[in-house]
Structures are given as C-alpha cells and as structure tokens.
C-alpha cells in the first residue's frame, strides 16, 4: 500500500470500458466495481480523476460517470480510431454539433475539462484511414476554440502530421497534453517546442530502456501522470518496474475480491507507481516535490480556477500554499 503524502491527479481513466463493469472479452467475471476502484484511488492520494471520452456515445457516458462524484471530471471528443463515426452518422456537421452541445452541457455542470481524446493513430489505420483521422482531428480544434477548453491528445506513429496540425491550429486552443506518450526523443522535443503542450506518462511510456531515456528528458514542469486504465499497467517485464515501490494485493478476475485489484487490469491507484518510475529514472529522491510539480501542471491546464483561488487565499491570508509560480 502507498503512503498518502503525495497528492495526484490521474488525467486518463477509461471508466467507460467493460472491464470496470466486470466484463472481459465478452464474459461477465464479476460485478461492476467503480466504487471499490475509486476508494482505492482516494486512499492512495489521488484526489481527482479525468474520465476519458473517445466517441460521442462514450463522452456522454463519461459525463454521466463524472456526475457521480465531485472528484471526477471528463473529456468530450472522438478518438482518432473512431473518427469514422462523423461520416457514418450520415450528418458529420450534426454529429459535430452534438459533441459541441454535450461539451457545453458538461462545462455548465462543472465536469468537462478538455476536448478529446483526439489526435492521430497511424498504428491502427485498419480502424480509420489517415485522411479521415486528419480531417476530424482538425475539426476538433474548432470544438476547443468554441468552448475555450484545453485538448487531451493522442499521438501514435504519426509525429510529423500530428505536429503539423497542432502547429497550424495553435491559436485555437489554450493548451494541451499529449497523453500516453511513447514517442522518440525527436518527437518529445517537437512536442516540448509547443509552448502550451504537456506530455502525459503512463506504464506504456515506461516499457523499455529507450522509453526511460526519453522520459528522462521531459522536464518535470511539462509532465503529467496517468494510468490510461484499464490498459497500460506497469508489468514485471517492463524496464520501469525496477523503480516501483508501492504494491496492492491483486487477484485474478475469476477469483475477484472487492478489496483487491484485478491482475492485468490497471486502475487509478496505480498512478502512484508511474510517479515512482518517473522519479527513479530521473534520479529524483524528493517524490513529494515531484508530485507537487506534476499536480500543479495538471491544475494549470485543466483546473486553472483552483490556482487562482489558491493565489487569492495566499494574498489575503499571507500564508504559503503548495502552488508554485507558473
């Protein structure tokens, strides 16, 4: 179990995935268990979670889930592999307007904090061809501009086209995070050259020695942590495992127990492990200090009102807070 001296925000949790309903490969293995998953997360020092939307339908469900707890928030957008849904709807503009209406509804409820997950994924062109991906990635900058929200971005094997589209639309959005980053040092440096861009790190970012080298070169001030659960857990075969200190009891899905994690299913409490691997590979002994920096980055992008409120309180009370200058 982890100590709770660190405060974390998991910026990517796929609570709409069937695994959190107890479904694995179409088979019901246990009851839906989001409350138990959340209880472990809060106990581990996670104090907010962003639930990812990857289609219009999923974004609606993400908003419904976010409304069940004051510490849950969500995104609205269409994942690159699902951009075909715009044209399959028979009315691409109507589909876009539905996304816009949902985003506005979620903002009004204080729940929607980003447009996404959107971007480019050339590893999975069998789901959606690159021309359709590019067209509707570009279109979602229109959504971000309309609602003045940051972007939650996906880039896989598409660095050049992704950077070109982000660069061309830089004026339309207030900032973003390229999540689940698994790219090269060159791609990292290109992302860091965008003034308003952060990089999201999870277990998939920490698999190989090369991955760790790339992560070492990301300044803590430009980084966020995430699980992308139920995927992207840190496995025993991964290079980053050497730095993991916090462990939770786990059971196979067939022998499910509410008090244990499920073997092979990632969940938000394990974001603590991502922080530990980042600290380890960067040679940072002060994990609490690193967590404050990463937490501050996340608030700057997704919860700027919190920082304004903290700064106001500091001015009024003359007392120090965790907030560092931006």
């Amino acid at each position: 179990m982890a100590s709770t001296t660190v405060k974390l925000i998991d910026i990517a949790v796929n609570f709409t995935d069937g695994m959190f309903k107890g479904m694995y490969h179409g088979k019901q293995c246990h009851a839906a268990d989001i409350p138990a998953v959340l209880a472990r997360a809060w106990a581990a020092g996670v104090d907010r979670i962003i639930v990812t939307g990857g289609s219009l339908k999923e974004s609606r469900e993400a908003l419904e889930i976010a409304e069940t707890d004051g510490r849950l928030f969500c995104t609205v957008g269409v994942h690159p592999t699902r951009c075909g849904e715009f044209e399959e709807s028979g009315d691409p503009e109507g589909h876009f307007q539905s996304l816009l209406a949902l985003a506005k509804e979620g903002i009004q409820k204080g729940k929607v904090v980003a447009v996404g997950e959107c971007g480019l994924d050339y590893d999975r062109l069998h789901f959606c061809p690159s021309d359709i991906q590019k067209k509707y990635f570009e279109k979602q900058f229109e959504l971000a501009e309309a609602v003045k929200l940051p972007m939650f971005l996906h880039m896989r094997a598409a660095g050049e086209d992704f950077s070109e589209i982000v660069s061309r639309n830089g004026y339309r959005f207030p900032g973003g995070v390229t999540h689940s980053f698994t790219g090269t040092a060159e791609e990292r440096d290109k992302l860091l050259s965008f003034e308003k861009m952060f990089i999201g790190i999870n277990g998939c970012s920490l698999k190989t020695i090369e991955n760790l080298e790339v992560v070492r070169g990301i300044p803590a001030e430009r980084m966020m942590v995430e699980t992308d659960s139920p995927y992207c857990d840190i496995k025993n075969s991964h290079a980053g495992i050497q730095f993991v200190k916090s462990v939770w009891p786990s059971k196979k899905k067939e022998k499910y127990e509410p008090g244990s994690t499920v073997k092979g299913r990632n969940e938000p409490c394990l974001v603590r492990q991502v922080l530990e691997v980042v600290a380890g590979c960067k040679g940072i002994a002060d994990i609490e200090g690193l967590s404050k920096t990463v937490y501050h980055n996340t608030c700057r992008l997704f919860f700027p009102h919190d920082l304004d409120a903290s700064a106001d309180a500091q001015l009024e009370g003359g007392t120090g807070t965790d907030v560092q200058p931006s």
Side-chain angles (χ1 to χ4, degrees):
M1 289 289 185
S3 97
T4 53
T5 51
V6 302
K7 197 163 71 160
L8 295 161
I9 299 172
D10 188 346
I11 65 161
V13 177
N14 299 283
F15 270 147
T16 61
D17 188 274
M19 282 190 247
F20 289 115
K21 300 179 181 87
M23 292 287 291
Y24 299 78
H25 310 296
K27 186 185 171 197
Q28 188 81 43
C29 293
H30 59 80
D33 67 338
I34 287 178
V37 169
L38 288 177
R40 275 190 291 277
W42 311 141
V46 176
D47 83 348
R48 267 174 278 198
I49 287 169
I50 300 175
V51 183
T52 313
S55 65
L56 175 58
K57 180 176 177 287
E58 210 175 75
S59 297
R60 278 201 191 104
E61 194 184 338
L63 177 56
E64 285 169 16
I65 293 168
E67 287 183 79
T68 63
D69 192 295
R71 296 161 287 188
L72 297 179
F73 301 86
C74 66
T75 71
V76 167
V78 181
H79 190 281
T81 60
R82 288 182 247 169
C83 277
E85 73 174 45
F86 282 95
E87 297 187 2
E88 286 157 18
S89 72
D91 180 7
E93 188 53 36
H95 200 72
F96 175 81
Q97 291 302 326
S98 297
L99 276 172
L100 178 59
L102 182 64
K104 286 179 173 173
E105 178 195 336
I107 290 166
Q108 204 173 1
K109 289 174 171 174
K111 289 296 179 182
V112 172
V113 294
V115 167
E117 176 176 358
C118 56
L120 298 176
D121 189 324
Y122 290 178
D123 265 350
R124 291 182 278 182
L125 292 172
H126 51 288
F127 289 122
C128 185
S130 60
D131 56 332
I132 299 288
Q133 287 192 30
K134 285 191 281 191
K135 180 178 179 180
Y136 291 105
F137 179 28
E138 194 113 31
K139 183 73 175 166
Q140 289 180 80
F141 284 93
E142 211 178 295
L143 182 56
E145 187 175 27
V147 294
K148 298 180 172 57
L149 281 183
M151 296 190 81
F152 182 81
L153 299 164
H154 176 104
M155 180 185 84
R156 195 72 81 237
E160 207 173 307
D161 285 354
F162 179 93
S163 296
E164 188 191 317
I165 291 171
V166 169
S167 187
R168 192 162 60 237
N169 291 280
Y171 68 95
R172 305 178 88 174
F173 69 111
V177 58
T178 302
H179 102 108
S180 194
F181 180 72
T182 57
T184 62
E186 190 183 0
E187 287 170 335
R188 171 200 68 201
D189 294 343
K190 183 66 182 173
L191 291 176
L192 293 172
S193 76
F194 297 120
E195 191 187 338
K196 306 174 289 186
M197 186 67 74
F198 293 86
I199 297 177
I201 301 300
N202 62 34
C204 289
S205 317
L206 306 166
K207 284 182 178 180
T208 66
I209 298 292
E210 292 76 21
N211 289 154
L212 297 183
E213 281 294 328
V214 171
V215 168
R216 198 171 285 137
I218 304 170
E221 296 72 24
R222 300 291 294 278
M223 186 184 283
M224 295 183 194
V225 290
E226 55 173 91
T227 56
D228 204 23
S229 50
Y231 327 112
C232 296
D233 52 328
I234 299 171
K235 299 187 189 302
N236 288 334
S237 57
H238 291 179
I241 194 73
Q242 62 183 304
F243 300 115
V244 169
K245 296 184 172 70
S246 303
V247 291
W248 278 259
S250 68
K251 298 274 183 192
K252 289 183 175 173
K253 57 187 182 294
E254 295 82 6
K255 297 187 174 177
Y256 175 83
E257 283 180 12
S260 298
T261 64
V262 176
K263 269 199 174 93
R265 182 187 74 171
N266 201 6
E267 61 172 77
C269 67
L270 301 172
V271 73
R272 166 78 186 225
Q273 295 182 341
V274 176
L275 187 76
E276 289 168 353
V277 178
V278 169
C281 84
K282 286 173 82 66
I284 295 171
D286 180 12
I287 197 160
E288 201 174 331
L290 176 62
S291 77
K292 283 181 182 175
T293 300
V294 170
Y295 189 92
H296 179 73
N297 298 343
T298 311
C299 288
R300 270 178 69 191
L301 190 65
F302 297 121
F303 307 103
H305 302 307
D306 283 19
L307 297 189
D308 295 343
S310 295
D312 290 346
Q314 198 172 358
L315 286 170
E316 284 169 24
T319 56
T321 71
D322 286 347
V323 176
Q324 302 157 9
S326 32

